[in-house]
Amino acid sequence: MPAWLKDAVFYEIYPQSFCDTNGDGIGDIEGIITKLDYVKNLGANALWLNPIYDSPFKDAGYDVRDYKKVAERYGTNDDLVRLFEEAHKKGIKVLLDLVPGHTSEEHEWFKKSCEYEPNDLWNRYIWTNGAFCGIGGHPYIGGEAERDGCYMLNFFKCQPALNYGVLNRTEPWQMPTDHPDCIATREAMKDIMRFWLDKGCDGFRVDMADSLVKEDDEVKSATGAIWQNIREMLDKDYPEAALVSEWSNPECALKYGFHADFYLDHHGNGLNVLFRDGETEGGDHSYFKKDGGDSPMRFLADYEHKYENSKKYGYISFITCNHDTPRCTKTMDIAELKVAYSFIFTMPGVPFLYYGDEIGMRYLENVKTKEGGFQRTGSRSPMQWDKSAKNYGFSDADGDKLYIPVDASADAPTVSTAEADADSLIHTVRSIIALRHDREDLQADADFRVVYAKEGERSFIYKRGSLVIAVNPGEKEEKVNRKDCADILAKEGEIKGNLVYGIGTADLTDDALVLGPQSFAIFE
């Protein structure tokens, strides 16, 4: 386990929307470099950049045309190396986004794979053995190549699936995972990783990490074997490099070699019922909603077993949001977010803060799709730096040239207005992250125990190491009798009267802990 992950707090940057320094309306690497002090002052000590590779951008860069070349819109390879260097000077690590499951249809590998005559890249992608032989259960394309076959897609039409083999084969054209050409695909991906690690990259967040081998078993053992092989390379040659998966199944991902695994917003799972439960029949019962919210029990039913079964292998990563998820401001107000984000940054594992969430940037409802974003586009709008500057300081370009329009609301949040308001969300985010860095009991590997949680009640009390943390997201005062917490506290230490962090009110009496409306408290 890379030692630095213990105290890591990540900041996700969508590069095209963060800061534009050349006036073309699209963010760039130089813009990220100019904002490193801002990131550091938030308390984030690690970055995750969405794909910065050369691409036709039909899926916002997740359609890679050249893994070893920075897209011209962002700068050059030298610019990215300079970002690594400048970030490291400030104590900030940088993860790149690895897209191992597919490439762009414009990748040189795919062009060779499409040729009529067999060649050394013919099997780099998954092809059937005839143009009229489709692929059951998967999207595919036929009739667009000289080659007599159809090729599998992973997502959009522009994203042919790379070939790591098929575990449970039922067709003659399917290749086993130990076929030399499938192993060559894995080795090509390792070569890409080495290329950037040697230039100063600190690791990778891995897109669609669970989907490499097709027709895999339920526990993804064949895909897992690939990641175990890659982890062996990292442990041997790059022991401080981190590997974070987009898998949302830590019991698999962490055992197969990932250091951390995202807790993603999947309908009905623990993260979803905390923040984004709007799809549920009968209204939004998200735990952190002040009105109509639920108890913490649905969250714990999903989270606790995942945590207990994976904690010895690696970390679960809570996220405030990401580029694929509606921002929490779509359904929650700033007071609710203060409590919710305080919770995120006091839980085990490695947390990720999405750019702009610290100022309460909004999900833009009626934005035209951009580069395959569709409903995701509303979470990818430009960072809002300065209320008085053109395009809120994101870019000097005319508004119609911007990658995505800025929030046109008169009260659109910006960094400048947030900094000037002592009660704004950014100060809450900064203070809770600072406390996390200061207290080992709040960091990635400190123990987690539930102290108090009951069906039908809003209060949630948990321990991180020796610290006791109490949450009441509701609109009404909550009272928790000390005797109801006695069993676990008797074993692991009493709630003392020293309040080290608080939102709202939290009064500790001889008999009870009284939590005011929308309160969050940390005691030692």
Side-chain angles (χ1 to χ4, degrees):
M1 180 64 66
W4 60 270
L5 281 177
K6 172 184 170 69
D7 188 32
V9 174
F10 277 89
Y11 191 75
E12 180 191 350
I13 291 178
Y14 194 66
Q16 48 269 65
S17 292
F18 195 60
C19 182
D20 168 28
T21 59
N22 63 5
D24 65 355
I26 300 175
D28 44 51
I29 292 171
E30 181 62 30
I32 298 171
I33 293 173
T34 65
K35 299 299 184 181
L36 287 174
D37 283 336
Y38 170 78
V39 172
K40 182 177 181 179
N41 288 335
L42 276 178
N45 55 10
L47 296 177
W48 159 35
L49 308 182
N50 294 109
I52 44 71
Y53 316 111
D54 177 54
S55 169
F57 291 101
K58 295 179 181 178
D59 186 22
Y62 283 93
D63 49 327
V64 179
R65 185 164 51 200
D66 187 342
Y67 288 100
K68 294 184 178 181
K69 179 182 177 182
V70 168
E72 185 177 352
R73 61 161 57 166
Y74 301 132
T76 65
N77 284 20
D78 288 341
D79 291 329
L80 184 55
V81 170
R82 188 161 55 88
L83 169 59
F84 297 152
E85 293 170 347
E86 294 301 316
H88 292 163
K89 290 176 185 177
K90 299 177 187 298
I92 298 172
K93 305 288 187 180
V94 183
L95 296 194
L96 297 183
D97 211 322
L98 185 68
V99 188
H102 53 261
T103 69
S104 165
E105 61 192 348
E106 297 182 22
H107 197 292
E108 289 301 319
W109 292 347
F110 187 66
K111 291 179 182 178
K112 290 288 290 183
S113 187
C114 286
E115 290 181 0
Y116 177 76
E117 294 290 341
N119 57 66
D120 60 346
L121 290 172
W122 228 49
N123 293 323
R124 183 54 52 89
Y125 299 83
I126 300 176
W127 288 84
T128 69
N129 56 5
F132 300 99
C133 174
I135 304 174
H138 295 275
Y140 64 90
I141 294 288
E144 290 202 358
E146 293 179 353
R147 180 172 179 167
D148 185 11
C150 296
Y151 58 89
M152 186 183 294
L153 302 173
N154 261 355
F155 194 42
F156 288 156
K157 179 262 178 190
C158 62
Q159 292 164 318
L162 286 163
N163 186 13
Y164 295 88
V166 176
L167 181 60
N168 296 304
R169 292 179 294 146
T170 57
E171 301 290 345
W173 48 265
Q174 294 173 335
M175 301 176 70
T177 58
D178 60 355
H179 190 285
D181 290 347
C182 298
I183 293 173
T185 304
R186 181 196 71 193
E187 293 303 307
M189 206 54 56
K190 288 162 70 175
D191 176 66
I192 292 161
M193 296 172 74
R194 289 190 192 99
F195 178 84
W196 289 113
L197 289 166
D198 288 341
K199 291 183 181 298
C201 166
D202 297 293
F204 299 90
R205 173 269 189 187
V206 179
D207 182 65
M208 294 177 64
D210 65 332
S211 65
L212 301 189
V213 174
K214 306 307 180 185
E215 314 309 332
D216 209 342
D217 56 30
E218 288 187 3
V219 295
K220 302 297 180 79
S221 62
T223 295
I226 294 171
W227 292 117
Q228 286 173 326
N229 178 273
I230 291 172
R231 174 65 181 270
E232 289 174 7
M233 176 193 79
L234 295 180
D235 287 350
K236 179 177 180 292
D237 298 330
Y238 307 95
E240 286 299 295
L243 206 56
V244 181
S245 55
E246 183 192 34
W247 197 313
S248 204
N249 185 347
E251 293 159 285
C252 282
L254 302 182
K255 290 179 183 179
Y256 291 142
F258 285 93
H259 299 104
D261 180 41
F262 279 135
Y263 204 7
L264 296 173
D265 178 38
H266 292 165
H267 178 57
N269 78 350
L271 190 80
N272 180 261
V273 301
L274 288 176
F275 311 113
R276 298 179 175 90
D277 190 40
E279 305 100 331
T280 303
E281 185 177 348
D284 188 344
H285 297 290
S286 299
Y287 175 66
F288 285 105
K289 289 289 290 180
K290 63 187 175 188
D291 53 344
D294 206 348
S295 78
M297 300 308 290
R298 284 193 301 157
F299 160 70
L300 290 171
D302 182 67
Y303 174 75
E304 275 195 288
H305 73 86
K306 290 179 177 176
Y307 169 73
E308 292 295 337
N309 292 335
S310 66
K311 64 181 180 181
K312 69 179 180 180
Y313 301 103
Y315 303 130
I316 295 173
S317 286
F318 281 82
I319 60 173
T320 62
C321 184
N322 66 19
H323 61 289
D324 288 333
T325 307
R327 292 188 186 269
C328 284
T329 48
K330 182 177 181 180
T331 58
M332 297 173 69
D333 62 28
I334 297 302
E336 290 167 327
L337 291 177
K338 286 181 178 181
V339 177
Y341 291 171
S342 294
F343 167 83
I344 284 177
F345 292 112
T346 56
M347 286 296 284
V350 181
F352 280 69
L353 174 65
Y354 187 49
Y355 83 97
D357 277 357
E358 70 275 15
I359 59 172
M361 275 181 60
R362 299 182 178 123
Y363 175 77
L364 304 187
E365 296 278 1
N366 298 307
V367 181
K368 183 180 178 182
T369 184
K370 182 70 173 185
E371 296 180 351
F374 298 98
Q375 71 270 20
R376 303 174 297 176
T377 306
S379 291
R380 301 176 177 183
S381 59
M383 180 67 177
Q384 296 157 197
W385 297 102
D386 187 344
K387 190 73 171 180
S388 62
K390 185 177 182 179
N391 300 315
Y392 303 129
F394 164 68
S395 172
D396 288 333
D398 291 339
D400 62 350
K401 302 294 185 184
L402 298 184
Y403 175 74
I404 294 170
V406 297
D407 183 350
S409 305
D411 61 347
T414 65
V415 173
S416 62
T417 52
E419 293 283 12
D421 179 2
D423 194 42
S424 69
L425 181 60
I426 197 171
H427 296 295
T428 299
V429 170
R430 189 176 286 138
S431 63
I432 194 63
I433 292 176
L435 185 64
R436 183 183 178 97
H437 290 315
D438 185 58
R439 301 285 185 131
E440 282 196 49
D441 283 349
L442 294 178
Q443 293 171 12
D445 57 355
D447 196 30
F448 167 82
R449 290 287 185 273
V450 176
V451 174
Y452 184 88
K454 287 187 177 181
E455 198 70 58
E457 296 188 22
R458 303 286 271 132
S459 295
F460 178 31
I461 304 174
Y462 54 100
K463 289 197 71 177
R464 295 296 319 283
S466 63
L467 299 176
V468 178
I469 302 168
V471 186
N472 172 22
E475 293 181 300
K476 298 178 180 179
E477 181 180 277
E478 292 273 323
K479 181 178 180 180
V480 179
N481 293 323
R482 278 180 176 257
K483 64 181 181 180
D484 292 331
C485 307
D487 288 345
I488 192 165
L489 292 180
K491 297 175 185 175
E492 302 181 16
E494 178 61 278
I495 304 177
K496 303 298 192 297
N498 185 17
L499 181 70
V500 298
Y501 180 87
I503 296 173
T505 61
D507 297 320
L508 196 59
T509 71
D510 290 340
D511 300 320
L513 173 60
V514 182
L515 298 171
Q518 293 185 275
S519 59
F520 184 95
I522 303 177
F523 295 93
E524 62 177 358

